[in-house]
Each structure stands twice: as C-alpha cells, then as structure tokens.
C-alpha cells in the first residue's frame, strides 16, 4: 500500500507541475501583451490606458536615481512629449507565481516641449497579480554601458 501511495503522490506532483507550467506560460503571454499595451499607450499619450495598467502605488526609478509615481507619468502623458519612434528588442518575460518581470532594450526618439531626444535604454517592468488582474507596480530604466547591447 505505501508503494501505491508513493506512485499516486508522484503522479499528482507531475500533474501539478505540468498545470503550473501551463499557467506560467499563459501568464507570460498575458503580461507580455499588457506591457506592449502600456508601451503603446505611452507612445500614444493615452493616459486612460496607462491609468488602467499602472498600480496606484507605482514607482519608476531611472538610472540617475530619479523617481516618479503614477501621477507623474499620467501628467507627462498629457504634456508636450511627442514620440517619433518607440521600439523595444531583446524582450524577455519571466513569471514567479504572482509576480512577473519584463525586460527589454528600448529605443525612443521624439521631442519634449520642442527639444529633440534620442535614447536607447534598458528597462525592467515589474507586474503583480491583483484581484483585478495584472498591474504594473515598478519600473526601472537605465542607459546601457558603452560597448554593450
């Protein structure tokens, strides 16, 4: 009887692991799509979509230590930034239960109050699962080191 129990327990663990893996893959797709929606909303200056995706206690940290909250990003979306180009590459999405991290290399080009900018930077966006779906809770962006991607 103990051997049968061990076989049953092993089978249940295998099924649970398989279901968890499928769930992680689905979550990866959901978070990747949500992050793409967010990036497009930034480009389009769509504050309503940004507001829906950002958590109320959202924080963005830039490479020189500046921090911005949700209200700062929504204000910027309603400001004078115009994106001519916005594209990310090297995108990865990783999920750990109720937390997901999207990392990519982003190229943005445009004007801010008439002043041109052209930046390439790495970003990591952290999402968490809430009762209302995934929300963007933390972002970090920094310029790449010279000679690297």
């Amino acid at each position: 009887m103990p051997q049968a129990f061990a076989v049953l327990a092993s089978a249940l663990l295998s099924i649970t692991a398989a279901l968890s893996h499928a769930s992680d893959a689905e979550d990866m797709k959901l978070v990747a799509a949500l992050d793409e929606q967010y990036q497009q909303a930034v480009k389009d200056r769509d504050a309503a979509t940004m507001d829906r995706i950002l958590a109320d206690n959202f924080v963005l940290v830039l490479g020189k230590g500046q921090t911005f909250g949700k209200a700062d990003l929504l204000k910027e979306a309603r400001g004078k930034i115009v994106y001519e180009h916005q594209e990310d590459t090297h995108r990865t999405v990783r999920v750990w239960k109720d937390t997901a991290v999207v990392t990519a290399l982003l190229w943005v080009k445009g004007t801010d109050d008439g002043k041109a900018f052209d930046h390439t930077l790495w970003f990591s966006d952290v999402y968490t699962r809430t009762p209302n779906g995934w929300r963007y809770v933390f972002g970090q962006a920094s310029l790449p080191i010279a000679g690297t991607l």
Side-chain angles (χ1 to χ4, degrees):
M1 188 68 152
Q3 186 177 22
F5 179 73
V7 169
L8 179 60
S10 177
L12 287 174
L13 285 173
S14 296
I15 292 169
T16 302
L19 290 174
S20 175
H21 180 69
S23 177
D24 284 353
E26 290 172 14
D27 285 338
M28 287 171 63
K29 288 179 185 176
L30 284 170
V31 171
L34 189 61
D35 196 64
E36 288 174 17
Q37 287 176 27
Y38 181 79
Q39 298 301 331
Q40 188 64 46
V42 170
K43 182 178 181 183
D44 295 342
R45 300 171 50 195
D46 179 357
T49 298
M50 292 171 63
D51 185 41
R52 177 179 53 81
I53 295 171
L54 291 167
D56 289 339
N57 61 348
F58 171 84
V59 176
L60 171 65
V61 179
L62 299 184
K64 293 185 179 181
Q66 305 111 309
T67 60
F68 302 90
K70 180 177 181 175
D72 299 317
L73 271 61
L74 296 177
K75 181 179 177 184
E76 183 176 282
R78 296 177 183 110
K80 298 181 181 182
I81 292 181
V82 177
Y83 291 96
E84 176 185 323
H85 186 86
Q86 182 174 321
E87 174 184 17
D88 64 73
T89 59
H90 300 82
R91 177 184 288 264
T92 61
V93 180
R94 293 177 180 87
V95 175
W96 298 272
K97 296 186 182 187
D98 293 334
T99 303
V101 178
V102 178
T103 303
L105 184 65
L106 177 67
W107 172 37
V108 290
K109 182 178 180 181
T111 59
D112 183 359
D113 199 18
K115 296 178 185 174
F117 64 85
D118 188 344
H119 304 291
T120 302
L121 52 97
W122 282 105
F123 72 82
S124 291
D125 294 342
V126 179
Y127 288 80
T128 190
R129 187 188 329 262
T130 73
N132 298 317
W134 289 94
R135 293 293 179 265
Y136 183 12
V137 295
F138 179 81
Q140 186 277 329
S142 61
L143 298 175
I145 298 170
T148 64
L149 284 178

